Amino acid sequence: MRDILVTLVILGSLPFILKSPAVGGLMWVWVSVMNPHTQAWGFATHLPFAFIIAIATMFSLLISHGPKSLPLTSVSVLLLMFVAWMNITAPFALLPESSWVQWNKVMKIMLMSFVVMMVIRKRQDIVRLVWVLVGSIGYYGVKGGIFTIRSGGTERVWGPEETFIGDNNSLALALIITIPLMFYLQQNSDKRWLRHGLSAAMLLSALAALGSYSRGALLAIAAMCLFMWIKSGRKVALGAVLCLLTPLLLAFMPERWSERMESINTYQEDSSAQGRLNAWEMAWNLARDRFLGGGFDVSDPGIFARYAPNPMDVHAAHSIYFQVLGEHGFVGLAIYLALGIATWRAASGIIKLTRNAAELRWALGLATMIQASMIGFAVGGAFLSLLYFDMPYYLMAVLIATRIVVERQLLTGKVQP
């Protein structure tokens, strides 16, 4: 039944995609972030839904009468530079065969990220995109939160297999990125039942993140909550809620969870932490030796034997920063960091433009919450290999489109649909 439902929804969307490329962009984000076919059990799990939607969306964009150009902002230009640099480093990869396999996956993600930036241009499409992201990750947050309650927190929460968020740590970070977006939708909804539903989704998603047993997620959610409190106009109320809920959530988790979180203070004795440090030093040594880095996918015994302090402890980078450093060198790291700074500044620019415009408060709140998501990703991503996770790139698309809508409205004085 699930296979039939997923297939009907995706194939049934094709006429709407051909009519509006923005619908195609939204469908692509849904399929790429949520991976709904992984929730089926039969034939749908192997159908090329992403490819079908991508082709339909690009064809629709080609025949549409709307804008077809990529908005050139500091964010989009730096992302183009990052993609160009990855294409320079790829031919010189230390492991050509596996590198080209990864290159193929990454380039598809980047291509469709640019397509999303091209088709999302209106306020209603921006809000719909946020809803798609919240629904896609929130599904696993609600499901994981209920699972944590039922298991008493004794079992770990995992994401869908063979996806970016399949790992427990990766799912936790995705949930942390999504919670501020849930908060934004809650604050901008005039329906009481929807506000209550989003409140429950935020609580369950936070519980699911804790139930993942991810130490990096704990640090990320702490940083994100601190930022949201600082930016809040109701610090006393929000602070009271956080002070009330945090002890309750932490008290719910079993002793086994507390012991794992406490290991943050004794990382010298933790094999997982030592493995990450070993992988980080390997990436540093590799980048110092090779200007172009090692190319995609450098988690190989031969490479570790050459560059790692402990050649027998082979790990993935477990850090977006050391992942880009090892794979694309110091130039790649510099471009990626510049991309993050430009994204932050893009959000700050929207906040500055809309601070005194009551009709643009939706944009102010959205940009602020995306900054909260960025804080979570920047902190949590320091401990995870999620450099190519597509959700942050879609948030860049949201900011680019929001800036366009804001500038247009300030220029014309007309409220955009």
Side-chain angles (χ1 to χ4, degrees):
M1 183 63 183
R2 292 187 183 185
D3 298 85
I4 296 174
L5 178 60
V6 171
T7 303
L8 288 177
V9 170
I10 293 177
L11 296 183
S13 71
L14 295 180
F16 299 97
I17 293 175
L18 295 176
K19 185 178 179 180
S20 172
V23 175
L26 296 175
M27 287 297 296
W28 167 266
V29 171
W30 177 55
V31 170
S32 64
V33 174
M34 181 180 176
N35 297 277
H37 54 285
T38 63
Q39 302 304 293
W41 297 315
F43 67 89
T45 58
H46 304 293
L47 293 178
F49 290 127
F51 177 76
I52 294 171
I53 291 175
I55 294 299
T57 302
M58 288 188 283
F59 180 72
S60 177
L61 180 62
L62 182 65
I63 64 175
S64 71
H65 298 292
K68 296 181 174 64
S69 60
L70 176 69
L72 293 180
T73 69
S74 58
V75 175
S76 59
V77 170
L78 281 166
L79 186 57
L80 282 169
M81 290 175 59
F82 188 47
V83 172
W85 182 252
M86 287 191 287
N87 279 275
I88 292 174
T89 63
F92 301 93
L94 290 172
L95 302 172
E97 186 173 344
S98 60
S99 180
W100 284 117
V101 171
Q102 182 69 356
W103 174 89
N104 185 51
K105 296 177 182 178
V106 173
M107 289 304 114
K108 289 176 182 176
I109 293 171
M110 295 302 170
L111 171 62
M112 291 308 296
S113 296
F114 288 126
V115 170
V116 172
M117 292 177 184
M118 295 168 68
V119 301
I120 302 298
R121 294 294 185 97
K122 299 178 181 179
R123 175 183 172 180
Q124 62 182 10
D125 293 328
I126 294 169
V127 176
R128 288 171 181 170
L129 178 53
V130 175
W131 270 110
V132 169
L133 291 171
V134 166
S136 298
I137 301 297
Y139 168 82
Y140 298 109
V142 172
K143 182 180 177 183
I146 294 173
F147 173 78
T148 301
I149 293 173
R150 290 180 59 185
S151 67
T154 59
E155 301 293 334
R156 295 190 186 187
V157 176
W158 299 83
E161 295 182 359
E162 299 181 4
T163 68
F164 275 115
I165 57 174
D167 178 72
N168 61 315
N169 299 293
S170 302
L171 175 63
L173 183 55
L175 291 171
I176 291 165
I177 298 173
T178 307
I179 289 174
L181 303 180
M182 292 179 177
F183 183 78
Y184 165 75
L185 293 175
Q186 183 212 45
Q187 294 296 302
N188 288 270
S189 175
D190 55 1
K191 296 181 175 62
R192 179 179 296 182
W193 66 268
L194 193 54
R195 292 198 301 270
H196 291 332
L198 286 166
S199 296
M202 285 188 282
L203 184 60
L204 289 170
S205 295
L207 195 56
L210 294 178
S212 70
Y213 281 66
S214 172
R215 292 166 293 186
L218 183 65
L219 297 175
I221 200 169
M224 183 197 70
C225 287
L226 177 61
F227 176 82
M228 291 178 68
W229 178 79
I230 292 173
K231 288 292 185 178
S232 174
R234 295 178 291 180
K235 289 184 173 60
V236 175
L238 182 57
V241 171
L242 291 174
C243 290
L244 176 64
L245 290 179
T246 301
L248 291 176
L249 290 173
L250 297 180
F252 177 81
M253 303 306 294
E255 184 179 353
R256 173 187 166 202
W257 181 89
S258 300
E259 291 175 352
R260 179 163 178 79
M261 296 305 110
E262 289 172 1
S263 66
I264 294 176
N265 297 320
T266 56
Y267 68 90
Q268 300 93 337
E269 303 170 7
D270 185 86
S271 59
S272 176
Q274 291 303 305
R276 294 184 183 193
L277 293 174
N278 186 61
W280 295 354
E281 190 165 349
M282 185 283 294
W284 174 265
N285 293 335
L286 173 57
R288 290 182 62 188
D289 185 56
R290 290 173 56 91
F291 177 73
L292 297 176
F296 292 102
D297 193 9
V298 293
S299 301
D300 177 77
I303 297 177
F304 269 72
R306 183 175 178 181
Y307 294 107
N310 182 359
M312 304 304 295
D313 192 5
V314 180
H315 275 74
H318 286 298
S319 169
I320 54 175
Y321 310 112
F322 285 98
Q323 183 180 6
V324 67
L325 178 63
E327 294 185 357
H328 307 296
F330 286 101
V331 173
L333 175 61
I335 297 173
Y336 185 69
L337 292 177
L339 177 61
I341 294 171
T343 304
W344 183 272
R345 289 177 61 85
S348 297
I350 294 171
I351 293 170
K352 184 178 180 180
L353 286 173
T354 58
R355 184 172 287 120
N356 298 317
E359 68 278 7
L360 291 171
R361 289 188 63 183
W362 67 271
L364 172 65
L366 180 56
T368 303
M369 288 303 100
I370 289 180
Q371 284 189 329
S373 295
M374 290 176 62
I375 289 288
F377 183 72
V379 174
F383 308 99
L384 292 172
S385 301
L386 285 177
L387 175 63
Y388 310 116
F389 179 39
D390 39 4
M391 188 170 174
Y393 301 109
Y394 300 142
L395 292 181
M396 295 177 192
V398 169
L399 288 175
I400 290 172
T402 301
R403 180 65 182 249
I404 292 173
V405 171
V406 165
E407 290 181 342
R408 186 187 302 135
Q409 186 168 334
L410 290 174
L411 182 64
T412 63
K414 296 180 180 180
V415 178
Q416 301 296 318

